[in-house]
């Protein structure tokens, strides 16, 4: 009996965690454009080409409750609009590997509403787990990224 209850509890937890998705919406009216399932750790990555420096940027996020929190941003050189100094509680790290070096700004920044302005040049990609969504498919417009985690009781902002 205890094993059956424990198995049911674990299955319920796994199902609830797996039910968390990231919705891509029209920010003006909230019309749904796409839905991407989030992995168990609820992390996702957005990569794009910076509109001024034309350099690759990787922004990492995690969903906590029903809120998006930016946890890191990685780039290979500083440019306009890029962080040059960490805020209190943040850490800027220079990582080197066989392909070169890049800066990684580690942070924990809650984002009330994540609206992404898509440009002609940048190649916006949203990756969650093993799934990737090309955001450029909607042309030059804005899209909103909003988590939907029904197992959370916290209100979305």
């Amino acid at each position: 009996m205890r094993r059956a209850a424990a198995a049911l509890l674990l299955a319920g937890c796994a199902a609830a965690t797996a039910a968390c998705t990231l919705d891509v919406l029209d920010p003006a009216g909230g019309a749904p454009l796409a839905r991407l399932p989030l992995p168990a750790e609820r992390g996702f990555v957005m990569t794009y080409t910076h509109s001024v420096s034309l350099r690759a940027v990787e922004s990492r996020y995690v969903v906590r409750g029903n809120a998006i929190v930016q946890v890191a941003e990685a780039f290979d050189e500083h440019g306009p609009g890029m962080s040059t100094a960490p805020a209190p509680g943040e850490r800027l790290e220079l990582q080197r590997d066989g392909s070169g070096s890049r800066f990684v700004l580690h942070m924990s920044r809650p984002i009330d509403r994540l609206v992404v302005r898509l440009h002609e040049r940048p190649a916006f990609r949203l990756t969650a787990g093993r799934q990737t969504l090309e955001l450029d498919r909607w042309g030059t417009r804005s899209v909103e990224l909003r988590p939907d985690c029904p197992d959370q009781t916290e209100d979305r902002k």
Side-chain angles (χ1 to χ4, degrees):
M1 181 77 162
R2 285 185 186 161
R3 270 192 231 170
L8 233 147
L9 179 63
L10 287 173
C13 289
T17 299
C20 195
T21 60
L22 187 65
D23 294 338
V24 181
L25 308 167
D26 176 348
L33 302 171
R35 175 170 271 194
L36 195 61
L38 290 173
E41 74 278 0
R42 296 183 176 180
F44 66 95
V45 175
M46 184 169 46
T47 56
Y48 60 95
T49 303
H50 191 276
S51 62
V52 177
S53 68
L54 304 181
R55 308 297 294 176
V57 178
E58 178 183 283
S59 296
R60 299 179 205 150
Y61 303 90
V62 67
V63 174
R64 295 184 184 143
N66 253 325
I68 295 174
V69 178
Q70 185 174 10
V71 294
E73 187 150 274
F75 47 93
D76 66 353
E77 71 179 47
H78 291 285
M82 302 304 297
S83 300
T84 55
E90 299 179 347
R91 178 174 52 91
L92 183 62
E93 173 185 16
L94 179 60
Q95 294 180 345
R96 292 186 170 98
D97 61 21
S99 63
S101 61
R102 66 184 188 161
F103 296 95
V104 179
L105 179 60
H106 301 275
M107 63 186 80
S108 183
R109 294 181 185 175
I111 298 175
D112 288 335
R113 186 171 183 225
L114 182 53
V115 177
V116 180
R117 185 173 167 213
L118 306 174
H119 303 276
E120 291 176 12
R121 209 175 285 147
F124 285 89
R125 285 189 183 92
L126 184 63
T127 303
R130 295 182 179 170
Q131 294 190 23
T132 298
L133 181 63
E134 304 287 338
L135 295 177
D136 295 325
R137 69 201 287 176
W138 291 290
T140 56
R141 60 172 296 168
S142 295
V143 296
E144 181 178 355
L145 305 179
R146 184 186 303 164
D148 183 14
C149 301
D151 60 318
Q152 299 297 309
T153 57
E154 297 175 17
D155 291 335
R156 282 189 291 199
K157 295 183 180 188

